[in-house]
Amino acid sequence: MTYTIDDICRLVKGQFIQQGIKNPIGRLLIDSRKLVHAGDALFFAITGVRNDGHDYLQEAYAAGVRNFIIEKTNNIPVLPDANVVAVSRSIDALQSITASHRKSIDIPVIGITGSNGKTIVKEWLNQLLSDDFNIVRSPKSFNSQIGVPLSVWNMEHNHTLGIFEAGISMPGEMERLAHVIQPTIGVFTSIGSAHSENFLSKRQLIGEKLNLFAHCPVIICPEDSDLMTLVQPWLATKKLIFTPSAEHATQHQSSESTTIALRWNDIKLSFNLPFRDKASIENCITCITTLLHLGYDPQTIDARIGRLSPLEMRLQLISGENDCIIINDAYSNDLHSLEIALDFLDHHARKQSKTVILSDLFQSGLNEEELHGRIAALLRNKSVEKFIGVGKSMKLHAAFYPAHSKFYTSTEKLIDQCNTDDFVREAVLVKGARDFRFERVVSALQEKTHDTVLEINLNALAHNLNYFKSQLPGKTKLMVMVKAFGYGSGAQEVASLLAFNKVDYLAVAYTDEGVELRKAGISLPIMVMNPERSSLPTLIRHKLEPEIYSFRTLENFSRALRSIEYTQPYPIHLKIDTGMHRLGFMPEEIGELCKAIDSEPGIHVASVFTHLAATDDAAHDEFTHTQLQHFNAAADRILLHVKAPFLRHALNTGGIERFPDACFDMVRLGIGLYGVSASGEDQQHLQQTGKLKTVISQIKQIRGGESVGYSRSFVAPFDLTIATIPVGYADGLRRTMSNGKGYVIIRGERAPIVGNVCMDMIMVDVTAISCTEGDDVEVFGEHISLIEFARMCNTIPYEVLTSLSQRVKRMYVQE
């Protein structure tokens, strides 16, 4: 479904700044980095807290975009032949366009909101209803002021049902999303405190969320006293269906399933769910109630519920054999999620060639020729070099794809006829409909490792980055620390995300860390904090920028520059010691330093900085202010001497949190990126980025009086059930966690460590936990915060992250 730029201008009540080529518009674009096809794209220049879409107009134009919505008309770059429409607020225009588009398509739409479970309920409803409807839904968790309109835009006249989720973080936002979604069935998933920091009370939060259903005739919602009070005025005009809690509905639980009872039209119904945890049970109850409202018989619902499985809602980035990376998106397949996955592939491929393994797409609503034409166009636009299609439809339409493509009628044939040696230095996207069970393909391709994995959430990293960006003055630049293997999270992957989010500088401890980033294709300026003499030629060759902290390092670097006859002034960073007493020029050495700089015409002072010793502790604020005074005085003297502008920076994470008046020209973000507030003041705004998880290796029964582990330091007081977990102090745990001082989480329950922590294993008490060998184990993550885990280890989060062994494989996830 396409529109003209004249249609768009009329819908948004905009004004043409200039008019050009009148191409039909089929795509909405807010991020020039995620361009799939430029010819029919409409770019919205949205002004955010730290990023301004108007800064990327030229970039989008150079990529081929010719239609633009802007809200700032000053200093617009020259865009020949382009259509430029000015509006008062670009995000309002985006929502108005998609609301009009939604109104033109008369199909039932399920709108979903709540505190938790929105995305799971949406995906499960899609699975349960896809046999009977051609469904359009929000991709992943696109539920924001921007994500919702981009999702609704994908509605087409061949769809027969829409399922969209909506989330809010501020009062007043839900009314805008209701105007876009226009739901005919409302689903409220749960009541909680998620994203509640901007609301006065739980009741206000619920009331704001309910605005999604103001014009909705049917609402399915949980039994909650605050919610039931708020919907009382609607009892006469709407059909309200209340779902019981997991506790009230549960009748029986086995080791793998749960039997629940629901009452519908005064009839008691029983359903068997393939889950045991409370959240999954409540999400299932919501889905079952929705299907009962739609008229499905209980037997059909029970059969379909039995096919549900826990959903991995995120793209996974995994190490593969032969220097490959594997992107696992094996849980669903549709055109819009394919666009998102291809964008993720494009971003993370770095220097690897791009390969896509794709299954048939079901329920697209398109005829086969149009569907495969669209898929082939997406692959071309993202420069995919190798394509493997799986499924009967794929093989039947092989002519749409490049001649060297390969096709298999089933996943089994693909696995039988391919091997890992067929994939070398490739970024491989594995994306398939659930029926194809592509997790088997991922398992075959991924690097074989032991069961302990550090899962790193790229969305959480981006959230934390954007939070700290929002705390900075508009012109303050941002340097981010990626030393020590990116604080244990993987320097290359973290640096790639930071480059994508356009930070200004990276910093590493040693030259070899910077070289690895350059080899991975990272082109951002990189400061090396400890440039060893032997590494200086390599540093210069890779255009890394040294920290100069002494006259010796200045002389060594200048000598290295002269030896290779470097012709342009080379950027350096001068460090001033104002009281940390680690590295840096002392204030009394500034005069001599200025003379030394005079004698070195081959250098350019890019920045002058210091390191503050105690920004996280209010007890030392007077000392911190003294450091800042010494720093400013030193920087002023250097500026008077060199007579050329340079960046000043002093603040680390704790400083950003507590000394906003000292941001200067740049700040250095470290542990805050990884979800830890250095001072504790900003912890509520940050998201934990890492989850250390493993599995149970063995379970055994021991009798009272028997000992466990080295030195027989634990003796069972009575008969116990013990589980052995394959993680130990060689992986980053501490022996201080031994004998009950530490614990892990198994099936949502605490399992205390018994005996001494071993090099590669721990033993935990699971007597009170119903578990089996192979069950998942959380070391830290959802139930145990990194801060809490650090306390168990009697250390700090910095040390926990950087101590995680390299043998613990990193897996990266992104919604």
Side-chain angles (χ1 to χ4, degrees):
M1 190 170 181
T2 59
Y3 293 78
T4 67
I5 190 63
D6 296 302
D7 295 331
I8 297 296
C9 187
R10 188 166 53 253
L11 282 173
V12 301
K13 298 181 173 60
Q15 180 180 355
F16 276 110
I17 300 299
Q18 67 178 60
Q19 297 189 55
I21 299 171
K22 298 296 178 73
N23 292 329
I25 294 169
R27 300 172 189 269
L28 306 184
L29 179 68
I30 62 165
D31 190 336
S32 59
R33 300 166 298 183
K34 298 184 177 181
L35 183 61
V36 176
H37 188 273
D40 64 347
L42 172 62
F43 181 83
F44 291 80
I46 295 174
T47 304
V49 176
R50 285 284 299 180
N51 292 315
D52 189 341
H54 297 82
D55 295 339
Y56 306 103
L57 292 173
Q58 191 68 58
E59 184 178 314
Y61 179 85
V65 177
R66 291 298 180 267
N67 298 291
F68 299 88
I69 298 285
I70 65 171
E71 57 189 50
K72 296 180 180 178
T73 56
N74 295 330
N75 302 317
I76 296 299
V78 177
L79 306 172
D81 299 323
N83 301 292
V84 181
V85 176
V87 296
S88 59
R89 193 165 176 260
S90 296
I91 194 168
D92 292 345
L94 173 66
Q95 292 174 349
S96 295
I97 291 167
T98 51
S100 176
H101 178 69
R102 158 68 182 104
K103 193 173 182 179
S104 70
I105 300 177
D106 185 19
I107 61 172
V109 168
I110 300 173
I112 304 173
T113 193
S115 298
N116 298 293
K118 297 184 291 295
T119 304
I120 292 293
V121 167
K122 178 198 67 188
E123 292 299 323
W124 279 352
L125 285 176
N126 176 68
Q127 286 189 28
L128 294 167
L129 297 170
S130 60
D131 289 348
D132 310 304
F133 293 92
N134 179 22
I135 299 172
V136 57
R137 70 190 193 283
S138 313
K140 304 295 180 179
S141 56
F142 272 40
N143 58 27
S144 66
Q145 296 293 299
I146 291 174
V148 167
L150 292 178
S151 301
V152 170
W153 180 256
N154 292 311
M155 293 181 73
E156 297 187 14
H157 286 291
N158 55 21
H159 289 123
T160 56
L161 177 66
I163 310 176
F164 301 106
E165 60 175 293
I168 57 172
S169 57
M170 298 287 291
E173 290 183 337
M174 192 61 88
E175 292 179 26
R176 302 162 63 86
L177 298 185
H179 180 59
V180 176
I181 296 175
Q182 301 164 38
T184 58
I185 300 174
V187 173
F188 205 124
T189 58
S190 67
I191 309 296
S193 58
H195 309 295
S196 63
E197 57 265 24
N198 295 314
F199 299 89
L200 298 175
S201 64
K202 173 188 170 185
R203 180 169 291 194
Q204 186 198 18
L205 175 62
I206 294 172
E208 290 286 340
K209 289 180 180 289
L210 281 172
N211 284 328
L212 179 61
F213 310 134
H215 303 288
C216 187
V218 179
I219 305 172
I220 297 166
C221 53
E223 293 176 338
D224 177 271
S225 58
D226 286 320
L227 187 145
M228 295 175 79
T229 299
L230 288 168
V231 298
Q232 283 296 319
W234 288 351
L235 290 175
T237 58
K238 302 178 186 296
K239 183 175 182 179
L240 297 171
I241 305 170
F242 296 102
T243 59
S245 66
E247 290 90 345
H248 290 156
T250 298
Q251 285 190 314
H252 172 74
Q253 284 194 312
S254 68
S255 61
E256 300 297 335
S257 64
T258 302
T259 302
I260 64 166
L262 299 180
R263 188 165 292 278
W264 184 258
N265 293 334
D266 294 326
I267 300 173
K268 188 176 181 180
L269 304 174
S270 179
F271 299 93
N272 192 50
L273 315 182
F275 308 103
R276 295 181 75 258
D277 62 289
K278 177 183 175 182
S280 294
I281 294 169
E282 291 189 342
N283 290 333
C284 274
I285 290 170
T286 300
C287 291
I288 290 168
T289 306
T290 304
L291 265 66
L292 287 170
H293 166 71
L294 290 172
Y296 283 81
D297 65 83
Q299 292 75 23
T300 299
I301 296 172
D302 197 47
R304 293 187 183 183
I305 286 288
R307 300 201 304 259
L308 293 180
S309 59
L311 293 179
E312 180 52 69
M313 296 306 306
R314 302 161 295 179
L315 292 158
Q316 294 179 327
L317 183 64
I318 307 167
S319 296
E321 300 283 357
N322 305 322
D323 198 24
C324 290
I325 59 172
I326 312 301
I327 297 171
N328 177 15
D329 194 14
Y331 84 97
S332 73
N333 205 8
D334 58 75
L335 276 174
H336 195 60
S337 66
L338 176 59
E339 286 190 29
I340 294 171
L342 286 171
D343 183 69
F344 189 81
L345 170 68
D346 192 48
H347 175 53
H348 288 281
R350 295 197 292 265
K351 294 188 176 182
Q352 293 109 327
S353 61
K354 286 177 277 192
T355 297
V356 172
I357 302 175
L358 186 71
S359 79
D360 283 345
L361 275 70
F362 302 129
Q363 303 292 336
S364 71
L366 304 173
N367 63 54
E368 294 285 88
E369 287 72 22
E370 185 178 359
L371 173 63
H372 288 280
R374 286 200 191 182
I375 296 172
L378 289 173
L379 298 173
R380 285 194 304 271
N381 289 330
K382 287 300 183 183
S383 302
V384 172
E385 289 94 338
K386 182 193 292 186
F387 177 71
I388 297 173
V390 181
K392 295 178 181 178
S393 180
M394 281 287 176
K395 190 158 189 175
L396 187 62
H397 294 86
F400 283 85
Y401 301 95
H404 59 274
S405 300
K406 295 182 179 179
F407 297 89
Y408 302 90
T409 55
S410 68
T411 306
E412 288 73 20
K413 290 187 177 179
L414 167 65
I415 293 172
D416 287 343
Q417 298 176 33
C418 276
N419 61 66
T420 56
D421 291 337
D422 296 327
F423 304 88
V424 179
R425 288 185 294 279
E426 299 171 36
V428 185
L429 169 63
V430 181
K431 183 166 181 60
R434 181 161 290 276
D435 289 353
F436 283 85
R437 295 180 59 210
F438 267 10
E439 60 271 14
R440 295 173 293 170
V441 179
V442 173
S443 178
L445 294 177
Q446 72 182 84
E447 186 178 17
K448 302 305 180 282
T449 65
H450 71 116
D451 291 320
T452 303
V453 174
L454 178 65
E455 179 182 286
I456 295 137
N457 188 319
L458 297 177
N459 293 90
L461 279 168
H463 167 88
N464 297 336
L465 174 68
N466 289 327
Y467 172 74
F468 282 104
K469 279 185 175 183
S470 73
Q471 304 305 298
L472 302 178
K475 294 184 178 179
T476 299
K477 296 181 182 296
L478 183 62
M479 175 185 282
V480 182
M481 317 306 289
V482 290
K483 60 182 179 175
F485 194 52
Y487 284 55
S489 296
Q492 294 180 21
E493 290 77 12
V494 171
S496 180
L497 178 141
L498 296 171
F500 183 78
N501 284 278
K502 299 186 182 297
V503 304
D504 302 286
Y505 257 95
L506 301 178
V508 296
Y510 299 104
T511 297
D512 57 346
E513 294 176 317
V515 170
E516 288 302 311
L517 295 181
R518 288 287 186 250
K519 288 181 178 179
I522 302 299
S523 59
L524 285 172
I526 300 174
M527 182 177 79
V528 179
M529 302 175 71
N530 197 349
E532 297 162 309
R533 180 178 179 179
S534 62
S535 70
L536 291 176
T538 302
L539 178 148
I540 296 167
R541 188 166 62 252
H542 288 89
K543 297 182 179 179
L544 306 172
E545 302 178 15
E547 171 187 312
I548 302 298
Y549 54 82
S550 68
F551 294 108
R552 181 184 65 84
T553 56
L554 179 60
E555 172 58 28
N556 287 341
F557 182 69
S558 298
R559 189 181 295 118
L561 273 179
R562 290 192 294 271
S563 70
I564 61 174
E565 299 182 353
Y566 200 87
T567 57
Q568 296 179 336
Y570 200 99
I572 65 170
H573 302 264
L574 298 177
K575 185 170 188 179
I576 312 301
D577 185 350
T578 59
M580 179 75 172
H581 296 330
R582 191 168 61 180
L583 294 175
F585 293 95
M586 298 298 290
E588 58 266 25
E589 296 177 317
I590 300 303
E592 186 182 352
L593 173 61
C594 290
K595 292 178 183 178
I597 292 172
D598 275 347
S599 66
E600 302 293 349
I603 62 172
H604 157 64
V605 179
S607 84
V608 177
F609 72 104
T610 193
H611 195 89
L612 303 177
T615 56
D616 58 341
D617 192 342
H620 300 294
D621 281 0
E622 183 177 351
F623 182 81
T624 299
H625 286 299
T626 300
Q627 280 196 272
L628 290 169
Q629 290 169 8
H630 290 326
F631 170 65
N632 259 329
D636 286 344
R637 288 185 66 188
I638 295 170
L639 180 61
L640 284 172
H641 197 81
V642 302
K643 296 182 175 60
F646 53 74
L647 299 172
R648 300 186 192 205
H649 48 110
L651 298 186
N652 53 11
T653 297
I656 298 169
E657 293 172 342
R658 300 192 60 248
F659 296 90
D661 293 338
C663 286
F664 300 127
D665 303 305
M666 185 160 68
V667 298
R668 303 187 302 274
L669 179 62
I671 193 67
L673 178 68
Y674 306 94
V676 178
S677 168
S679 68
E681 294 185 3
D682 285 349
Q683 193 60 54
Q684 64 176 329
H685 301 292
L686 303 179
Q687 296 179 5
Q688 184 159 308
T689 60
K691 180 189 296 184
L692 183 60
K693 57 185 184 179
T694 184
V695 299
I696 296 175
S697 296
Q698 186 180 22
I699 294 176
K700 59 181 61 177
Q701 312 296 321
I702 65 170
R703 293 181 179 179
E706 293 184 337
S707 62
V708 177
Y710 285 119
S711 303
R712 303 193 69 206
S713 62
F714 175 83
V715 176
F718 41 75
D719 292 357
L720 296 176
T721 305
I722 300 298
T724 301
I725 313 298
V727 60
Y729 57 74
D731 302 296
L733 273 66
R734 301 299 173 88
R735 280 176 60 87
T736 53
M737 301 175 69
S738 301
N739 292 309
K741 295 185 177 67
Y743 60 88
V744 297
I745 298 294
I746 299 173
R747 295 210 171 198
E749 302 289 339
R750 290 189 179 192
I753 295 173
V754 294
N756 284 322
V757 173
C758 308
M759 180 182 290
D760 311 302
M761 285 170 278
I762 57 174
M763 289 68 74
V764 299
D765 181 359
V766 294
T767 307
I769 302 173
S770 175
C771 57
T772 59
E773 294 178 357
D775 275 359
D776 292 336
V777 178
E778 177 189 309
V779 181
F780 63 77
E782 182 181 354
H783 300 88
I784 305 173
S785 73
L786 178 61
I787 296 170
E788 182 182 356
F789 181 78
R791 289 195 193 105
M792 283 194 268
C793 294
N794 195 27
T795 185
I796 58 176
Y798 297 79
E799 191 173 2
V800 169
L801 289 175
T802 56
S803 297
L804 291 173
S805 170
Q806 294 279 344
R807 76 179 185 183
V808 175
K809 292 303 176 183
R810 275 66 174 172
M811 178 174 69
Y812 301 87
V813 298
Q814 179 172 309
E815 291 183 354

